[in-house]
Amino acid sequence: MSFYLAVNTFLLIRYLSYDIINKVVNLNSVKNALYVVNKLIRNGYQAYFVGGCVRDYLLKLPSNDIDITTSATPYEVMRLFKAKLTGEKYGTVTILDERVNIEVTTFRTEEGYHDFRRPDKVVFTTDVKEDVTRRDFTINALLMDEKMTVYDYVGGRDDLNKGLINAVGDPKERFKEDSLRLLRAVYFQAKLGFKIGEETFINMKENASLITHLPNERVLDELFKILSHEHQLMALKTLKETNLNNYLPGLKKGIDYIVSNITFPLFIDAFFALSFTLNKTVPRAWKFSNFHFNKYQKTVELALKNTIIDELVIYQYGLEISLLANKVLFILKKQDNEKRK
């Protein structure tokens, strides 16, 4: 199986972004989870749908994860439902429903982010407004109650209608709290096709270097998601314009070339092969398996030769690498597309 197929099979299972099953789930998941919200309310707690499920519900987009925020503590939730503790520090339990995974998290505030990723201290609160204002982007900070009434304390509904991605509150503070948000903004753009708000965009550019604090695997995971969505080219342009591409080893020249020359989205393996060919090597910084690292390195080696891919070359490198190298050279306008041949 090619690396592209393997990665996209993984993404399909994990995110189900365009899968027919997920579209069915989207129609029913919020309604299926209503019993959780209603039961919490009947037992004297506040409870709301929150985050991506509300955003996607309003946009009529597929969504396979349901998040509920509540005044109940994790152990109070676990007394009411069959659930497991999945984030004790953050007040999160997961209810394993046969129809959809439901995450229930206690209202909380956060303090201190010395690693630019996780809070040093989490404090549970009974004020849902305090919980909302700690979140990343306004379109992800909408609340919805059991009657499907939407509550907006940060301007998310307006941004949703305008197609804007804006940080909640001060963008500089949001990005310093969690540097992954820099890439998450680009991911939401790739998924939704929204424009990034001016102040948020400026602060992304000023704080781009913060992504160097992230684990390589987390960055790679976010890149897979960015590359797998419809508005890939818009997102790659943002990576370039915010200088985030300067901190993605071996990818800068590829992103620059694609933004300037390509008008169609690339498959994931074509993106990496092109970028690493322009970089002339595969950086060891990326945590690919040995198999995938060698595959990309061999593709770069063959593409840099810019030779006619005949029977001998196919015998030496294998069909998959030969096809990928030819694809790279075609994108670089150095060879015709010989796939059919």
Side-chain angles (χ1 to χ4, degrees):
M1 181 182 290
S2 72
F3 179 58
Y4 166 72
L5 288 176
V7 167
N8 281 279
T9 298
F10 164 75
L11 290 173
L12 182 63
I13 293 171
R14 183 168 179 180
Y15 304 107
L16 297 176
S17 295
Y18 296 104
D19 189 80
I20 294 174
I21 295 175
N22 194 31
K23 292 178 181 178
V24 175
V25 169
N26 184 54
L27 295 174
N28 297 297
S29 57
V30 172
K31 293 181 180 179
N32 288 342
L34 270 173
Y35 77 94
V36 177
V37 173
N38 283 323
K39 189 169 183 178
L40 286 165
I41 292 172
R42 287 198 307 270
N43 282 271
Y45 303 108
Q46 300 175 63
Y48 302 90
F49 296 104
V50 69
C53 66
V54 179
R55 178 199 69 227
D56 293 341
Y57 181 83
L58 294 173
L59 292 173
K60 297 180 172 59
L61 290 175
S63 180
N64 63 305
D65 289 321
I66 298 296
D67 293 315
I68 293 170
T69 187
T70 180
S71 58
T73 67
Y75 292 99
E76 288 170 335
V77 174
M78 293 174 72
R79 282 200 293 266
L80 295 175
F81 303 97
K82 183 180 179 180
K84 66 177 181 178
L85 194 61
T86 51
E88 183 174 10
K89 178 180 178 181
Y90 306 105
T92 302
V93 300
T94 300
I95 298 172
L96 302 176
D97 184 274
E98 63 181 9
R99 295 155 296 189
V100 63
N101 283 346
I102 303 168
E103 281 200 351
V104 183
T105 303
T106 305
F107 300 161
R108 71 178 193 250
T109 60
E110 300 173 347
E111 299 175 13
Y113 300 82
H114 288 101
D115 65 353
F116 299 96
R117 181 72 181 101
R118 302 290 185 187
D120 299 329
K121 183 179 180 182
V122 171
V123 179
F124 295 154
T125 178
T126 56
D127 187 349
V128 71
K129 292 182 183 179
E130 289 185 341
D131 182 83
V132 165
T133 54
R134 70 168 176 82
R135 295 179 179 270
D136 55 4
F137 303 105
T138 62
I139 58 174
N140 297 333
L142 296 168
L143 301 168
M144 188 165 67
D145 67 14
E146 77 282 7
K147 297 178 182 178
M148 304 301 180
T149 300
V150 175
Y151 299 86
D152 180 10
Y153 299 109
V154 294
R157 194 71 182 266
D158 191 43
D159 284 342
L160 206 62
N161 292 332
K162 292 179 179 178
L164 289 174
I165 298 168
N166 281 311
V168 173
D170 183 352
K172 183 178 181 179
E173 291 302 313
R174 295 294 81 79
F175 295 137
K176 286 190 174 181
E177 289 168 353
D178 182 358
S179 56
L180 184 64
R181 289 169 174 167
L182 292 158
L183 294 174
R184 293 290 285 169
V186 183
Y187 159 64
F188 289 122
Q189 183 173 61
K191 178 179 180 179
L192 303 172
F194 283 10
K195 181 181 178 181
I196 295 176
E198 182 178 359
E199 187 177 356
T200 298
F201 184 92
I202 290 171
N203 278 275
M204 287 174 66
K205 188 171 184 177
E206 291 178 351
N207 295 281
S209 64
L210 291 178
I211 66 169
T212 58
H213 295 283
L214 295 170
N216 176 278
E217 295 84 354
R218 197 65 188 85
V219 174
L220 195 57
D221 186 49
E222 213 63 30
L223 281 175
F224 288 155
K225 290 161 61 179
I226 290 168
L227 295 168
S228 297
H229 281 81
E230 178 182 0
H231 305 284
Q232 178 200 101
L233 295 181
M234 179 187 294
L236 291 177
K237 184 178 180 182
T238 294
L239 287 177
K240 176 181 178 179
E241 292 179 344
T242 57
N243 295 330
L244 283 164
N245 64 336
N246 291 337
Y247 304 98
L248 301 173
L251 300 181
K252 182 183 183 331
K253 291 181 180 179
I255 292 172
D256 290 351
Y257 183 87
I258 292 167
V259 169
S260 299
N261 297 279
I262 304 299
T263 58
F264 52 87
L266 297 180
F267 289 148
I268 290 174
D269 58 350
F271 167 82
F272 282 116
L274 171 68
S275 297
F276 295 148
T277 297
L278 290 171
N279 189 59
K280 298 191 183 331
T281 189
V282 182
R284 282 288 183 182
W286 295 112
K287 303 301 182 183
F288 296 116
S289 68
N290 287 335
F291 174 82
H292 292 129
F293 177 88
N294 290 330
K295 174 186 172 183
Y296 278 120
Q297 192 62 46
K298 285 290 185 182
T299 300
V300 170
E301 177 186 310
L302 179 55
L304 289 176
K305 288 181 177 179
N306 193 19
T307 187
I308 299 298
I309 300 177
D310 55 19
E311 291 89 341
L312 180 59
V313 171
I314 294 173
Y315 174 77
Q316 291 173 328
Y317 286 89
L319 181 59
E320 188 175 15
I321 290 174
S322 297
L323 283 168
L324 189 52
N326 176 245
K327 179 69 173 179
V328 168
L329 291 169
F330 173 70
I331 294 170
L332 293 173
K333 302 175 184 177
K334 294 183 177 181
Q335 284 188 11
D336 294 332
N337 190 342
E338 300 288 352
K339 180 178 180 179
R340 184 180 298 275
K341 178 181 176 181

